[in-house]
Amino acid sequence: MENLSNTLAALRSEKKQMEIRVDELDAVIRSIEALTEVNGTGSRPTGARSRSVISAAGRQRIAAAQRARWAKIRKESQPTARGKVTAMPVKRTISAAGRQKIAAAQRARWAKISKAG
């Protein structure tokens, strides 16, 4: 009988500790809920991203700036054979002599590496 009363006392003590822990967790949940009500973070569903709102005047300023950037690129670029202006500058090429110099230098580097290793 004594063993049964000890077990019962232990269970009551454990129950009391669990009730205290539940009360603590409830307090934490209430504080989090209060914070989300204050700053509004709990107003949208989980995973949803907020979208920033921009005024019409702001959009117009951005569009004008982009048009100015494109105009600058077109102004600096070269006309094609048909007289149209391309947005990209003319691609540069290397001469045959330049390629031979680069190849010779690379062969010298590889020879040095293979000799050392």
Side-chain angles (χ1 to χ4, degrees):
M1 237 9 196
E2 185 178 315
N3 191 17
L4 186 61
S5 63
N6 286 342
T7 304
L8 187 59
L11 287 174
R12 285 185 179 145
S13 172
E14 191 173 328
K15 179 184 175 189
K16 186 69 173 168
Q17 289 174 354
M18 286 183 181
E19 288 173 352
I20 292 170
R21 182 70 179 139
V22 167
D23 291 340
E24 290 172 355
L25 291 173
D26 283 339
V28 170
I29 290 171
R30 281 192 300 274
S31 67
I32 291 172
E33 288 172 347
L35 285 175
T36 58
E37 289 174 6
V38 169
N39 65 14
T41 57
S43 62
R44 60 178 178 242
T46 305
R49 292 181 1 180
S50 65
R51 298 187 64 167
S52 59
V53 179
I54 188 167
S55 67
R59 280 198 316 265
Q60 288 173 353
R61 282 193 306 273
I62 292 170
Q66 185 62 46
R67 282 192 295 272
R69 285 191 289 273
W70 277 109
K72 181 180 176 187
I73 289 172
R74 285 189 193 101
K75 182 180 173 184
E76 293 172 354
S77 62
Q78 303 295 321
T80 61
R82 293 184 178 183
K84 292 183 178 178
V85 175
T86 62
M88 297 299 294
V90 175
K91 187 174 180 179
R92 294 170 38 176
T93 58
I94 190 167
S95 67
R99 285 180 50 83
Q100 288 174 354
K101 286 180 185 177
I102 291 171
Q106 186 63 35
R107 280 193 296 274
R109 283 192 289 273
W110 278 111
K112 183 179 176 183
I113 290 170
S114 62
K115 186 178 181 180

